[in-house]
Amino acid sequence: MSRKNIIEVRNVTMRFGGVTAVSELSMDIPEGSIVGLIGPNGAGKTTAFNVITGFYRPTEGDVVFAGRRITGMAPHRICALGMARTFQNIRLFYNETALENVMIGRHVRRSGHWWGAVLGLPGTRREERDIREKSLELLRRVGLSAHADEVASALPYGAQRRLEIARALATEPKFLLLDEPAAGMNPQESLELMKFIRQIRDEFHLTILLIEHDMKVVMGVCEHIWVLEYGKLIAEGDAESIRSNPRVIEAYLGEDVNNVAD
Ligand SMILES: Nc1ncnc2c1ncn2[C@@H]1O[C@H](COP(=O)(O)OP(=O)(O)OP(=O)(O)O)[C@@H](O)[C@H]1O
Ligand SMILES: [Mg+2]
């Protein structure tokens, strides 16, 4: 891959006491690509996300984002540099409306100080209005405007997943990480999700890394896939080579990967 890399994971190891969750992982992700990280349960996928996004400082190795070493940087600073994520278990403010959830995401980008909001300064009020309008526009672009005023807990499951992605988009990321976005979705919803992932990549000029157990989704949207097992990289390549890789088939004991050709 000759394009510029937006993210480089360099030889990352993450240990928790005696457990090595991720072992010497390296990944180069080209700008504008949609790529995947797969592997059986407990393989270290979410841990890799947590290291990349700054939730964990790796025991060894480095993460370089847009040419800058971000190892050990706090998650909110990394987010401000243009990286956003969603979580394996959806994290929303369930008592807030869909619109408010997106507005919370947008606050990362606001320029004013918190005391402006407290004092109700005109500039701050203008900024609030601006955040509100941009958030509504974002909801429209992800097809959720009809739900803007509904509390998050009342949304159908697929819409909640979409809303979480919308909130991540509200931080204006260049690089988006999705942890099992198709989890709990029916085949029709997964199909729509695949279209949605491509659509937001194009519309928002993103690079997307996704963790996913739904092989149809992974193979369908990812141009490059890394496979972890027990924290170690056992294969990487395009969908075709991953699908036919004996080591990968063995890791999955012949499940999913074999049923994805159709
Ligand atoms: N904070 C932590 N403290 C201790 N061990 C952890 C911690 N986070 C993850 N682990 C361990 O690291 C290993 C990898 O976990 P991780 O959640 O990264 O796997 P995963 O590939 O995301 O699995 P799944 O598909 O089930 O989500 C597991 O053995 C897990 O128990
Ligand atoms: Mg996980």
Side-chain angles (χ1 to χ4, degrees):
M1 289 193 242
S2 59
R3 284 169 285 168
K4 202 167 98 194
N5 294 324
I6 188 148
I7 189 112
E8 293 179 4
V9 175
R10 297 182 181 162
N11 224 20
V12 160
T13 294
M14 184 75 222
R15 279 188 213 103
F16 300 103
V19 178
T20 304
V22 173
S23 181
E24 298 176 2
L25 175 66
S26 292
M27 298 164 75
D28 286 347
I29 303 181
E31 210 161 34
S33 60
I34 300 175
V35 295
L37 181 60
I38 67 171
N41 290 119
K45 305 179 297 294
T46 298
T47 303
F49 265 32
N50 285 333
V51 169
I52 294 170
T53 53
F55 284 73
Y56 297 149
R57 175 193 269 276
T59 317
E60 283 163 35
D62 273 312
V63 181
V64 175
F65 178 51
R68 177 171 180 179
R69 187 173 165 273
I70 57 162
T71 323
M73 209 182 260
H76 70 273
R77 284 191 57 208
I78 295 177
C79 179
L81 291 177
M83 196 191 294
R85 73 178 293 184
T86 62
F87 293 87
Q88 189 163 349
N89 304 309
I90 303 176
R91 293 192 192 175
L92 288 168
F93 296 96
Y94 287 100
N95 298 323
E96 313 288 330
T97 64
L99 175 63
E100 285 158 350
N101 269 277
V102 175
M103 287 176 69
I104 291 161
R106 273 217 78 82
H107 278 88
V108 174
R109 289 284 160 218
R110 67 180 301 157
S111 55
H113 289 291
W114 60 269
W115 57 82
V118 173
L119 301 174
L121 301 179
T124 308
R125 267 183 268 141
R126 223 176 7 255
E127 201 176 13
E128 276 300 322
R129 226 178 11 248
D130 188 49
I131 285 175
R132 195 180 179 80
E133 271 161 28
K134 288 206 167 111
S135 301
L136 274 169
E137 166 65 13
L138 192 55
L139 281 176
R140 193 188 59 70
R141 287 172 74 180
V142 302
L144 285 176
S145 20
H147 295 291
D149 297 323
E150 282 173 47
V151 288
S153 59
L155 299 185
Y157 187 77
Q160 288 188 6
R161 284 250 169 232
R162 229 172 234 248
L163 177 58
E164 208 197 7
I165 294 175
R167 190 184 55 197
L169 291 174
T171 67
E172 296 181 2
K174 297 190 277 273
F175 181 46
L176 179 64
L177 300 92
L178 307 174
D179 197 343
E180 299 199 27
M185 288 191 172
N186 63 38
Q188 180 58 34
E189 286 173 323
S190 304
L191 206 68
E192 280 164 21
L193 179 78
M194 283 165 60
K195 269 201 284 186
F196 180 64
I197 289 173
R198 282 197 209 97
Q199 177 207 326
I200 58 172
R201 187 269 309 265
D202 295 342
E203 265 187 45
F204 295 88
H205 310 289
L206 301 172
T207 306
I208 299 177
L209 170 63
L210 57 107
I211 293 175
E212 192 43 73
H213 280 293
D214 185 327
M215 289 300 153
K216 226 176 206 154
V217 171
V218 175
M219 304 289 176
V221 298
C222 295
E223 64 176 73
H224 196 88
I225 297 161
W226 287 265
V227 189
L228 281 181
E229 187 189 34
Y230 300 117
K232 290 206 176 75
L233 200 60
I234 58 165
E236 69 165 292
D238 61 14
E240 204 46 57
S241 74
I242 293 300
R243 195 183 276 153
S244 57
N245 184 311
R247 190 71 192 79
V248 178
I249 293 168
E250 192 193 330
Y252 278 89
L253 293 169
E255 46 158 298
D256 293 328
V257 241
N258 272 337
N259 297 321
V260 295
D262 51 343

